[in-house]
């Protein structure tokens, strides 16, 4: 998803919601978690930070806590964030960490699973560099306003947030997940402990970060956008033409997302390092998806990834097609309507509807 608003006891949830009706209550969240549990699905919550953190934090000044977020809804957005609306946490405000701890505490009460996603996605240094409160704080601490300096500032947040999470969770960490970012680049990876963090990898399959992550001992969840982003291949929503990660990722391409093959192409041939890939996840970002069209974008493509990662097949997508067509029809009978894979005649005539060079 792109984010939700939740109503929890320790901090207000109505800020940042589109309407007062578009807020998840504690009971709503409990229902989702329980619904997933009985079906063998683990819901992993994410508090994305320190970026993607604008709307929802504006109440700080009214409560006497100062600005909890900066660059909120700032325009032109291209200068301050990856997509609108902008907003990043105000790392110069010490009150921020009390608020983050309370949010963690509320989330721990609602999500009882073994993993927690701590975010780390798409930090924009120009936002902080154009915020006087942030730059004054950096000057006071003799932190240079360079890339290295902003990474030092970000790491300060990361360490404090991790300590607050531990406190909120009764002195223990969970399996802490974060996105690939500047911080997972080889130059800055020393800031992260592979014994604490699992990295969700969204860069392209040929990016140099992937082999370095497994070689440095990190467990990795594959979500490389060039194979596994389900929102790709549709019209742009901040301009014209198709969106940034086009083209569309067909189920065949997703099925062939074999992490062993990808690592081997990077020169990583040790099976012990292959095992650092602990799973894969398709990503259905919801800038252009809602309850009326999400399912046909998600299924049956995600079924294809499930077979790939559960079964580790040695054959390609063509051998899997009859199984996926059948499984898709079973799910439709259960009320889960994904995208139609092929004409009904072809379903009844397996092996005929194919290009002759396959």
């Amino acid at each position: 998803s792109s984010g939700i608003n939740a109503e929890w006891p320790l901090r207000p949830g109505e800020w940042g919601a589109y309407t007062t009706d578009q807020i998840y209550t504690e009971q709503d969240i409990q229902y989702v978690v329980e619904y997933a549990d009985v079906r063998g699905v683990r819901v992993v919550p994410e508090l994305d930070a320190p970026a993607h953190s604008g709307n929802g934090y504006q109440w700080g000044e009214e409560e006497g806590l100062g600005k909890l977020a900066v660059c909120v809804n700032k325009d032109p957005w291209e200068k301050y964030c990856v997509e609108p609306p902008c907003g990043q946490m105000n790392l110069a405000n010490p009150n921020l960490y009390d608020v983050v701890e309370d949010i963690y505490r509320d989330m721990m009460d609602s999500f009882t699973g073994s993993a927690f996603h701590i975010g780390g996605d798409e930090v924009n240094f120009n936002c902080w560099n154009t915020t006087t409160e942030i730059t004054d704080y950096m000057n006071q601490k003799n932190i240079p306003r360079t890339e290295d300096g902003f990474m030092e500032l970000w790491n300060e947040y990361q360490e404090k947030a991790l300590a607050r999470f531990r406190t909120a969770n009764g002195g223990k960490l969970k399996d802490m997940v974060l996105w690939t970012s500047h911080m997972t680049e080889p130059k800055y990876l020393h800031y992260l402990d592979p014994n604490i963090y699992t990295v969700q990898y969204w860069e392209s399959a040929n990016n140099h970060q992937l082999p370095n992550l497994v070689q440095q001992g990190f467990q990795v969840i594959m979500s490389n956008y060039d194979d596994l982003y389900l929102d790709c291949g549709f019209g742009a929503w901040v301009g014209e033409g198709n969106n940034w990660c086009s083209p569309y990722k067909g189920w065949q391409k997703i099925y062939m997302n074999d992490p062993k093959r990808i690592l081997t192409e990077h020169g990583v041939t040790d099976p012990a390092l292959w095992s650092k890939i602990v799973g894969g996840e398709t990503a259905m970002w919801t800038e252009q998806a809602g309850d009326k069209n999400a399912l046909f974008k998600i299924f049956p493509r995600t079924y294809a990834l499930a077979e790939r990662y559960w079964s580790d097949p040695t054959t390609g997508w063509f051998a899997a097609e009859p199984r996926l067509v059948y499984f898709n029809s079973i799910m439709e009978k259960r009320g889960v309507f994904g995208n139609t894979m092929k004409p009904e005649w072809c379903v009844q005539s397996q092996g005929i509807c194919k290009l002759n060079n396959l």
Side-chain angles (χ1 to χ4, degrees):
S1 74
S2 291
I4 65 170
N5 283 82
E7 184 180 73
W8 282 307
L10 294 180
R11 295 295 178 180
E14 67 273 11
W15 287 86
Y18 296 114
T19 70
T20 55
D21 293 330
Q22 292 175 283
I23 297 174
Y24 283 79
T25 66
E26 287 184 276
Q27 291 73 28
D28 293 332
I29 294 172
Q30 182 180 5
Y31 173 79
V32 170
V33 172
E34 291 179 352
Y35 185 94
D37 279 347
V38 299
R39 290 162 176 81
V41 176
R42 178 173 58 170
V43 178
V44 179
E46 176 183 355
L47 178 65
D48 202 0
H52 296 297
S53 302
N55 290 298
Y57 291 89
Q58 304 99 313
W59 53 271
E61 290 180 277
E62 288 188 9
E63 297 292 326
L65 299 177
K67 286 186 177 180
L68 300 173
V70 296
C71 305
V72 180
N73 299 331
K74 201 165 183 179
D75 199 56
W77 62 266
E78 298 98 317
K79 294 183 178 180
Y80 308 105
C81 59
V82 174
E83 66 176 48
C86 294
Q88 289 186 177
M89 288 184 168
N90 182 3
L91 306 192
N93 184 351
N95 295 319
L96 171 68
Y97 297 98
D98 292 333
V99 173
V100 168
E101 181 179 329
D102 282 347
I103 296 173
Y104 285 151
R105 201 179 303 276
D106 280 336
M107 294 179 79
M108 291 307 96
D109 290 339
S110 296
F111 299 97
T112 56
S114 61
F116 188 93
H117 207 304
I118 205 165
D121 190 31
E122 296 179 338
V123 172
N124 184 292
F125 294 154
N126 190 53
C127 167
W128 287 334
N129 196 35
T130 54
T131 301
T132 301
E133 191 172 349
I134 297 286
T135 56
D136 287 349
Y137 176 79
M138 295 178 72
N139 291 335
Q140 291 167 11
K141 300 194 71 173
N142 294 316
I143 300 175
R145 290 164 63 183
T146 61
E147 180 179 275
D148 287 352
F150 286 112
M151 290 302 302
E152 181 181 342
L153 178 70
W154 181 359
N155 182 60
E156 179 183 299
Y157 167 81
Q158 199 72 26
E159 291 183 347
K160 289 180 179 179
L162 192 68
R164 294 300 187 114
F165 183 95
R166 193 191 302 268
T167 299
N169 195 42
K172 299 177 292 183
L173 294 176
K174 296 193 176 191
D175 181 5
M176 309 302 290
V177 184
L178 50 70
W179 292 103
T180 45
S181 64
H182 264 59
M183 193 167 281
T184 56
E185 288 279 356
K187 181 178 180 180
Y188 300 111
L189 192 57
H190 64 275
Y191 283 130
L192 302 174
D193 185 344
N195 295 312
I196 293 176
Y197 292 107
T198 295
V199 177
Q200 186 161 6
Y201 180 86
W202 72 270
E203 313 292 340
S204 67
N206 61 8
N207 188 286
H208 64 281
Q209 282 198 40
L210 181 60
N212 186 64
L213 284 167
V214 299
Q215 289 165 346
Q216 297 304 314
F218 286 89
Q219 292 189 323
V220 174
I221 300 167
M222 292 293 288
S223 292
N224 52 302
Y225 76 84
D226 51 338
D227 286 348
L228 303 182
Y229 269 32
L230 303 182
D231 57 317
C232 303
F234 297 91
W237 61 278
V238 289
E240 59 184 357
N242 291 334
N243 56 14
W244 73 275
C245 58
S246 294
Y248 183 87
K249 318 305 179 191
W251 74 265
Q252 297 92 335
K253 183 174 181 61
I254 291 172
Y255 190 87
M256 299 307 293
N257 182 263
D258 181 355
K260 293 188 297 185
R261 174 189 58 79
I262 294 170
L263 284 174
T264 298
E265 290 174 355
H266 281 286
V268 179
T269 57
D270 184 352
L273 294 181
W274 292 348
S275 68
K276 293 295 182 181
I277 307 294
V278 295
E281 181 183 13
T282 55
M284 182 65 260
W285 302 107
T286 57
E287 290 93 341
Q288 295 176 286
D291 59 353
K292 304 302 182 185
N293 69 341
L295 288 184
F296 95 84
K297 293 185 176 184
I298 296 171
F299 302 116
R301 290 186 290 169
T302 299
Y303 303 150
L305 187 71
E307 177 164 309
R308 163 60 59 189
Y309 277 83
W310 280 109
S311 302
D312 190 21
T314 57
T315 54
W317 65 265
F318 187 73
E321 186 178 62
R323 293 191 297 276
L324 289 177
V325 169
Y326 175 73
F327 186 74
N328 198 39
S329 68
I330 293 296
M331 294 305 292
E332 287 179 350
K333 292 176 182 177
R334 295 176 178 177
V336 180
F337 292 93
N339 205 16
T340 300
M341 293 181 66
K342 59 197 315 182
E344 186 68 20
W345 186 87
C346 296
V347 173
Q348 296 175 350
S349 309
Q350 287 296 331
I352 296 178
C353 295
K354 68 180 181 67
L355 294 174
N356 292 324
N357 61 352
L358 290 178

